Amino acid sequence: QVQLEESGGGSVRTGGSLTLSCQRSQYSLRNTCVGWFRQSPGKECETVALIHTPDGTTLYADSVKGRFTGSQDHVELTLFLQMNGLKSEDTGMYYCAALTSISGRGQCFSADIRGRDVCGGQGTQVTVSS
């Protein structure tokens, strides 16, 4: 995988919103599957959303479906994760990474992150409190 540069985290109250940004590099454009991942305290790294960048289709984790929305700006090479209705369980470090050795939307949406250090980058902290 290719770790990308995340930003936009912060502290919000339950029910609040945040928008995360993920800056791609020209090098990472060859990878057409980009994911948002998070690691909460005491928990394993988990997939939040997987984006098939050629058509923008996105697969969301059940825990965020209906609350989080992914988008991308092809000109600025930036992906966004709009997070609404934040809950305390959304607290964690959020990461963005382009998955390598993935071909097509099917492989993207069925990607297994085990063995991929997708939560190993700098990340951006999201803290949700009541």
Side-chain angles (χ1 to χ4, degrees):
Q1 69 292 330
V2 179
Q3 293 297 143
L4 305 175
E5 185 176 344
E6 315 89 348
S7 62
S11 296
V12 296
R13 297 288 192 183
T14 303
S17 299
L18 281 173
T19 300
L20 304 184
S21 299
C22 172
Q23 183 65 55
R24 302 194 68 172
S25 63
Q26 289 284 349
Y27 173 77
S28 74
L29 290 180
R30 67 186 68 185
N31 307 116
T32 58
C33 183
V34 178
W36 287 98
F37 310 92
R38 70 184 179 191
Q39 188 160 24
S40 303
K43 296 185 178 180
E44 294 185 352
C45 179
E46 62 176 342
T47 301
V48 175
L50 292 167
I51 305 102
H52 181 241
T53 55
D55 58 17
T57 52
T58 305
L59 179 69
Y60 299 97
D62 288 343
S63 59
V64 307
K65 201 173 296 182
R67 300 187 297 120
F68 290 13
T69 304
S71 61
Q72 57 183 335
D73 182 328
H74 292 282
V75 175
E76 298 296 331
L77 303 183
T78 306
L79 292 97
F80 303 96
L81 185 68
Q82 173 69 43
M83 306 186 296
N84 298 325
L86 283 163
K87 305 176 181 180
S88 58
E89 51 263 44
D90 295 318
T91 293
M93 191 69 81
Y94 283 69
Y95 304 88
C96 180
L99 303 185
T100 56
S101 302
I102 295 287
S103 179
R105 185 169 54 214
Q107 286 191 14
C108 179
F109 288 176
S110 61
D112 187 348
I113 67 170
R114 290 174 298 179
R116 297 178 181 264
D117 189 21
V118 294
C119 288
Q122 181 175 343
T124 187
Q125 177 70 38
V126 172
T127 303
V128 185
S129 58
S130 58

